[in-house]
């Protein structure tokens, strides 16, 4: 059973391919739009930047302008259809807000995910009770947050780790993220048990970062790295901020975060020691 594709990544891939074809033909945005009778360059610009779900007819028109060979044309049509996937796929995500939807798209199509969290348990590993505490706390900043809808959306995302062909998932969590920090005892204990249950899955790796003994400066900003089954799809890094998130896809940016991930993996406790440390916290 093949992994599902990620529309957000296929849009980025399609945009990069179309931009390369336009530049190969030495055409400007204005020249292409004039040939196609498009009112402005914003439509083509958004397609090339992967910022809009493309209409297949528009993509076919662009391929005609760029005189693409039959073989390359067929390959790009497949990518365009993946990028344009809409209601059936979106419906499966439920009532997610825009931020969660972006993460869900990336997770759904990923072959590998590495997530770093300096202060809390990563979203894909959270229990419902633990997630509720985090969401309710977020209402202090954004009172419009719908707690129940957010919980249902998170539960839908959790399914990615239990599907038939799940991604390889690695969580790098600081010891601080596993401290009780005022949470109710039972919520905290349930969360620790859940981490241990997930760590037993063959495709899930959880590594604790000992803050005091860290051999590298620990980043203050949470980030996630995504790789995909098709090596031509752009590797992606998501930086999690307070009000919005930043998506990085350029090779230079991604390479730097993957280097940082390597340093964090070297500094983290091995899997067996992580399990022992979590078990000790639970027993204590």
């Amino acid at each position: 059973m093949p992994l599902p594709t990620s529309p957000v990544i296929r849009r980025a891939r399609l945009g990069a391919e179309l931009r390369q074809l336009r530049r190969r033909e030495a055409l400007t945005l204005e020249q292409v739009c004039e040939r196609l009778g498009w009112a402005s360059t914003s439509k083509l610009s958004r397609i090339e930047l992967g910022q809009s779900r493309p209409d297949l007819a528009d993509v076919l028109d662009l391929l005609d302008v760029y005189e693409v060979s039959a073989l390359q044309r067929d390959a790009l049509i497949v990518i365009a259809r993946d990028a344009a996937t809409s209601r059936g796929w979106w419906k499966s995500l439920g009532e997610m807000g825009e931020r969660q939807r972006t993460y869900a798209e990336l997770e759904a199509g990923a072959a590998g995910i590495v997530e770093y969290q300096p202060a809390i348990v990563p979203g894909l590993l959270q229990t419902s009770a633990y997630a509720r505490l985090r969401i309710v706390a977020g209402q202090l900043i954004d009172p419009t947050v719908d707690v129940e809808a957010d919980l249902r959306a998170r539960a839908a995302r959790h399914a990615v780790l239990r599907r038939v062909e799940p991604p390889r998932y690695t969580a790098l969590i600081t010891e601080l993220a596993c401290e009780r920090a005022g949470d109710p005892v039972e919520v905290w204990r349930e969360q620790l048990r859940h981490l241990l249950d997930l760590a037993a899955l063959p495709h899930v790796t959880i590594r604790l970062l000992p803050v005091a003994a860290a051999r590298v400066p620990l980043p203050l900003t949470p980030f996630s790295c995504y790789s995909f089954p098709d090596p031509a799809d752009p590797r992606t890094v998501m930086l999690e901020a307070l009000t919005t998130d930043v998506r990085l896809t350029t090779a230079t940016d991604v390479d730097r975060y993957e280097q940082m991930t390597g340093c964090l993996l070297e500094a983290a406790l091995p899997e067996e020691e992580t399990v022992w440390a979590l078990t000790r916290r639970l027993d204590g």
Side-chain angles (χ1 to χ4, degrees):
M1 176 180 175
L3 289 170
T5 56
S6 174
V8 68
I9 290 302
R10 298 301 255 183
R11 287 197 292 272
R13 165 84 177 279
L14 177 68
E17 298 272 7
L18 291 174
R19 183 168 57 252
Q20 186 176 16
L21 288 170
R22 177 175 60 79
R23 290 174 176 172
R24 184 195 69 184
E25 298 299 312
L27 294 171
T28 65
L29 292 169
E30 290 78 7
Q31 288 171 328
V32 173
C33 291
E34 183 178 355
R35 292 189 185 187
L36 293 176
W38 291 359
S40 72
T41 60
S42 62
K43 178 178 179 179
L44 179 54
S45 178
R46 287 180 61 81
I47 291 175
E48 288 191 358
L49 292 172
Q51 294 176 344
S52 63
R53 194 163 60 239
D55 184 280
L56 184 57
D58 290 337
V59 174
L60 293 175
D61 288 341
L62 289 169
L63 297 181
D64 288 340
V65 169
Y66 303 146
E67 299 182 354
V68 177
S69 66
L71 185 61
Q72 187 178 16
R73 184 185 182 90
D74 290 344
L76 288 172
I77 288 173
V78 171
I79 296 172
R81 284 176 174 154
D82 291 341
T85 299
S86 55
R87 278 187 282 195
W89 201 94
W90 292 96
K91 186 177 180 181
S92 70
L93 296 185
E95 51 193 329
M96 290 185 185
E98 189 61 33
R99 292 182 73 179
Q100 280 215 66
R101 191 179 295 274
T102 298
Y103 281 99
E105 284 196 17
L106 291 167
E107 292 158 359
I113 302 170
V114 179
E115 190 164 10
Y116 166 73
Q117 269 288 353
I120 63 172
V121 173
L124 284 180
L125 306 182
Q126 293 177 2
T127 64
S128 178
Y130 181 92
R132 182 182 293 276
L133 291 175
R134 307 281 86 76
I135 298 167
V136 170
Q139 285 184 311
L140 296 174
I141 299 170
D142 183 3
T144 66
V145 170
D146 186 330
V147 175
E148 299 305 321
D150 208 340
L151 280 172
R152 289 191 293 271
R154 289 173 189 242
R157 285 175 57 198
H158 290 171
V160 72
L161 294 181
R162 303 284 188 177
R163 72 187 185 197
V164 176
E165 294 187 30
R168 300 181 308 278
Y169 178 83
T170 299
L172 289 159
I173 316 172
T174 68
E175 290 178 317
L176 177 63
C178 295
E179 297 296 336
R180 182 183 162 199
D183 291 341
V185 173
E186 283 309 311
V187 172
W188 177 67
R189 290 176 60 81
E190 180 192 32
Q191 181 62 68
L192 289 180
R193 285 194 293 268
H194 188 58
L195 289 176
L196 289 168
D197 289 343
L198 289 173
L201 297 175
H203 57 282
V204 174
T205 299
I206 299 176
R207 304 276 300 274
L208 278 183
L209 283 157
V211 177
R215 296 189 293 273
V216 294
L218 298 180
L220 299 178
T221 303
F223 66 86
S224 307
C225 301
Y226 303 86
S227 59
F228 301 93
D230 187 339
D233 284 347
R235 295 168 299 149
T236 298
V237 172
M238 290 291 292
L239 305 181
E240 185 179 331
L242 183 62
T243 58
T244 189
D245 300 313
V246 178
R247 178 158 55 99
L248 305 175
T249 56
T250 63
T252 301
D253 289 334
V254 174
D255 286 345
R256 287 181 180 175
Y257 275 91
E258 290 186 347
Q259 289 172 4
M260 172 58 72
T261 297
C263 293
L264 293 175
L265 285 168
E266 289 183 7
L269 297 177
E271 291 179 65
E272 298 80 3
E273 291 185 32
T274 293
V275 169
W276 179 80
L278 293 174
T279 302
R280 185 176 61 176
R281 279 175 168 77
L282 181 59
D283 291 343

